[in-house]
Each structure stands twice: as structure tokens, then as C-alpha cells.
Amino acid sequence: MRIDAHQHFWLFDPVKDSWITEEMAVISRNFLPNDIGQILKDNNFDGVVAVQADQSHQETDFLVELSGVYKLIKAVVGWVDLRSEAIDEHLAHFKRSPIIKGFRHIVEGEVDPDFLHRDEFLRGIAALTKHQYTYDLLIRPRHYASTLKCVSVNPEQAFMLDHIAKPPIKTQEFDEWAAFIHDLAQYENVHCKISGLATEADWKHWTLDHFTQYIAHVISCFGKDRVLFGSDWPVCLLAGSYEDSIRIVEDKLNDFTEAELKGFWGDNAVQFYSIT
């Protein structure tokens, strides 16, 4: 089964989606599964993991509702208030929807560098572990230290690093990011999506070579069984086509065996998110 492990769907609202600025006008509209269905077929994908883009319980319900209509959604990574004292009640509620496999918080938008290691957040992560949910890490460099602390004290939690931690591809800076990736990959409960790369490069002038050192380092550190593909559609449209998101990665996989390629393009996502 070929799975795109990172897609978003939304009904555009300029207030709710204020993160979409004027320069991002190409994605300031509705995006629903009908808009990507044929493209997925053309590229031989069987389904997708729908990931939250808004921080509300309504967002999670919205993705669940979509999954009931569009069977291409094989898993949902929603949002839940991990810092709520009622976290167990919230998770018990979401357990009624088995399509929900995990949750994410947009930590990259948090100014606090220690956000991931605050007591109230760690309580939420512990609840995810208890209820057997995954957690997607969306971070910026200021969160590197607290990410490592969070992961180190939660050895039983399944973590997925989104967008290879958004390295500064546009400027080709490497060392700080590379050191973090090396340290994070030491924790075997952490997996990594090779996703969302074009939008970290120069949107108009990137080449395939701009991504080589970053993808090679991630594969070297995490190994071939803990990396997987995600397009970050429709956000990827800011810097290229859906097919571009595939091209950026596929020419870097020449030493993968047939089984390892099947893992990267789908089986690793199936295993991590318990997709049936």
C-alpha cells in the first residue's frame, strides 16, 4: 500500500487560517480530498494520512467526518488540548473514532523554547502513551533541546518528526540541524517524515541538489525503516507541484532495495500509524 503520510484539508477561513499570508495566496482556498484524488491515482498512491492544520477539537472532528466520506483518508493525526487537565476524557472521546491514530500540536508557533518539556505538556504526552496514540513533532530550532528532553523521558511513546525538522534549506545551513537529527535519531521510538522540503527552500529557484545533503543525513541517521514520504499537500503548492514533492525525494533513494522502497512509500507509514 502506497501512502502519502502528510496531507492537509481545510475549508478556508481568513480568520482561522490567518497563517496563510498574502504571499501564500495559491493556498488561500478550500482544499478537500476531491482536489487530490485523481493526482493520487496518477501517482499510484492508495491513501493518505490527514494531519491537523488548526488547533481545535473541531478540526479533529472535521477530519474524522471527511474520512467517513472519502476512503482515501486512511488515518487522521488530529489536535487535542494536551495541556488540559481533562486530557484523559478528551482522548476517551476520540477513541470512538478509530481512524484517529495520533495527535499534533503546532509547536513551531510556540515562542517558549521549553514548551515540549513543560509539566502540563508532558502530562499530555503520557496520556497519549497510555491511550496508544502517536505524536507528530512540528518544531523549529529553538525547540531542539526541549524536543530531546521530551523524547528522552517518554521512551514508550511513538514520535514522528514532521518535515525533517524544517532545516534551513534556503540558506544551505547544515551543522546545527544535522547535530540535532543525529541526537534525535538515537531514540528508536522516533520516526521521520521526509516531507515539506520545497517550502523550506527558495520557493522560486530551488533545484533537486539543494535537498541532497539533508535527505542523505536523515536516512543515514534514522535508517531506511524509520523514514517515510509525505507531500505536505497543499502547502507544497507554494513551491511546486505535487509531482515535485515526489521528485525531490525519489532520486535520493537509489540504494534502497525493493522492500525498502515499499517501506518508504507506504509500508512504514502503515506500520507506524496502524493503518488497516
Side-chain angles (χ1 to χ4, degrees), residues 90-243:
H90 295 320
L91 294 178
H93 164 76
F94 286 128
K95 271 293 184 185
R96 301 169 191 168
S97 302
I99 193 72
I100 303 174
K101 305 300 183 179
F103 294 91
R104 184 177 81 155
H105 185 89
I106 303 176
V107 177
E108 69 167 342
E110 300 290 346
V111 176
D112 180 7
D114 295 322
F115 182 88
L116 283 158
H117 201 241
R118 298 296 183 190
D119 289 345
E120 63 271 20
F121 188 84
L122 290 176
R123 183 182 64 228
I125 293 295
L128 293 185
T129 307
K130 173 183 173 182
H131 291 272
Q132 297 183 307
Y133 281 117
T134 65
Y135 181 74
D136 272 46
L137 292 158
L138 179 63
I139 59 172
R140 287 289 182 182
R142 62 180 173 275
H143 304 113
Y144 285 173
S146 64
T147 296
L148 293 171
K149 290 177 182 177
C150 176
V151 169
S152 71
V153 297
N154 288 284
E156 303 303 317
Q157 175 61 39
F159 290 98
M160 177 66 71
L161 179 65
D162 288 350
H163 312 329
I164 67 172
K166 295 198 165 189
I169 297 171
K170 185 174 182 178
T171 60
Q172 289 290 288
E173 295 171 70
F174 185 76
D175 292 348
E176 180 187 15
W177 169 85
F180 167 70
I181 290 295
H182 173 270
D183 292 345
L184 184 64
Q186 304 309 304
Y187 299 96
E188 295 186 358
N189 56 320
V190 184
H191 293 61
C192 182
K193 290 179 190 175
I194 299 183
S195 58
L197 301 189
T199 48
E200 298 307 310
D202 184 320
W203 293 358
K204 302 297 184 183
H205 302 104
W206 59 263
T207 69
L208 294 179
D209 289 343
H210 290 159
F211 308 97
T212 300
Q213 64 176 339
Y214 302 99
I215 294 174
H217 185 65
V218 163
I219 294 171
S220 174
C221 291
F222 280 95
K224 297 171 182 176
D225 61 339
R226 286 195 287 150
V227 293
L228 52 151
F229 171 75
S231 67
D232 198 25
W233 182 91
V235 181
C236 66
L237 301 179
L238 294 170
S241 67
Y242 185 85
E243 287 75 15

Side-chain angles (χ1 to χ4, degrees), residues 12 14 17-28 203 238:
F12 179 70
D17 302 313
S18 59
W19 62 274
I20 299 178
T21 61
E22 289 185 7
E23 65 176 347
M24 303 164 74
V26 68
I27 62 170
S28 59
W203 293 358
L238 294 170

